[in-house]
Structures are given as structure tokens and as C-alpha cells.
């Protein structure tokens, strides 16, 4: 079901942010489906190190795993964000996605939440 949703709303050429990735295989699965630019972030250093090692072992160069707090993302993409957050709503993350979507938008178009 998620795969169908993503294919409908997210292009393989889009820059995709996977916030709070943990040990999820979503990035790997999206890369296998042809997505070219994936950034998976989490605040757990252990998770990021594990996923970086796994990605290197799988020879995945289109998924970047980075240590970040999803409520204070260190990204320079204001006005260019097309985000998809799946899972339990997190108000701090949603505020951060709205910030990155840019000041010209009254709300973050393209930011979808899936409970």
C-alpha cells in the first residue's frame, strides 16, 4: 500500500527525506525501486552507523544515512521540499517540514502524513 502511494506522489527523480529512519528498510526498498536521491535521518548514532554499514555492504550509493534531529534538520532545501512522513504524527517534525517547504507557502504542499 505504501509503495503504491509513493509511486503515485513521489517521482524517482525527487529528493526524498526519510525522517526518523531507525533501522527501516524503506530507503533500501525505494532505491531498489529506482529512487535516486534518498536522505534517511535519525537521532540514534547506533541506527545510522548500522544502516551506513548495511548500505555499504549492499553497494547502495543513492541512500545517504545522516545523524540529525528531525525537529531541527540541517538542510538547505527551503522552498524545494516534497516530503512524505509516514507513521505516528510528530508535531515538531511537521513544523520543521513546513519550515523547509518555504515561507511563500501557507502550508506545506506535498507533505503528507499517514497515521
Amino acid at each position: 500500500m505504501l509503495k503504491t502511494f509513493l509511486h503515485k506522489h513521489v517521482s524517482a527523480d525527487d529528493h526524498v527525506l526519510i525522517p526518523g529512519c531507525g533501522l527501516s528498510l524503506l530507503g533500501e526498498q525505494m532505491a531498489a525501486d529506482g529512487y535516486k536521491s534518498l536522505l534517511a535521518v535519525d537521532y540514534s548514532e547506533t541506527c545510522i552507523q548500522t544502516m551506513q554499514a548495511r548500505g555499504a555492504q549492499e553497494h547502495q550509493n543513492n541512500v545517504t544515512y545522516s545523524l540529525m534531529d528531525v525537529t531541527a534538520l540541517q538542510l538547505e532545501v527551503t522552498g524545494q521540499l516534497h516530503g512524505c512522513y509516514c507513521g505516528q504524527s510528530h508535531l515538531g517534525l511537521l513544523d520543521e517540514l513546513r519550515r523547509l517547504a518555504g515561507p511563500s507557502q501557507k502550508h506545506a504542499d506535498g507533505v503528507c502524513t499517514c497515521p
Side-chain angles (χ1 to χ4, degrees):
M1 185 166 148
L2 179 60
K3 184 175 182 176
T4 303
F5 175 84
L6 290 174
H7 281 297
K8 182 176 179 182
H9 297 285
V10 182
S11 165
D13 293 323
D14 286 343
H15 298 286
V16 177
L17 171 66
I18 305 171
C21 65
L23 298 174
S24 170
L25 300 179
L26 180 61
E28 291 180 20
Q29 292 167 344
M30 290 181 73
D33 284 343
Y35 289 89
K36 299 177 181 127
S37 179
L38 303 160
L39 174 61
V41 300
D42 202 286
Y43 65 89
S44 168
E45 189 171 355
T46 301
C47 287
I48 294 300
Q49 288 174 348
T50 300
M51 296 309 287
Q52 285 173 335
R54 182 181 169 94
Q57 197 172 31
E58 299 291 326
H59 306 291
Q60 291 183 348
N61 54 7
N62 49 351
V63 183
T64 301
Y65 294 96
S66 188
L67 185 65
M68 279 190 226
D69 177 351
V70 298
T71 63
L73 294 169
Q74 302 161 358
L75 304 173
E76 297 297 325
V77 295
T78 302
Q80 302 175 14
L81 179 69
H82 293 271
C84 179
Y85 173 63
C86 297
Q88 186 176 4
S89 293
H90 186 289
L91 295 179
L93 171 60
L94 295 178
D95 287 342
E96 186 66 2
L97 292 176
R98 285 187 190 95
R99 180 188 71 82
L100 290 171
S104 63
Q105 298 182 16
K106 292 181 182 175
H107 54 83
D109 291 334
V111 176
C112 305
T113 56
C114 305

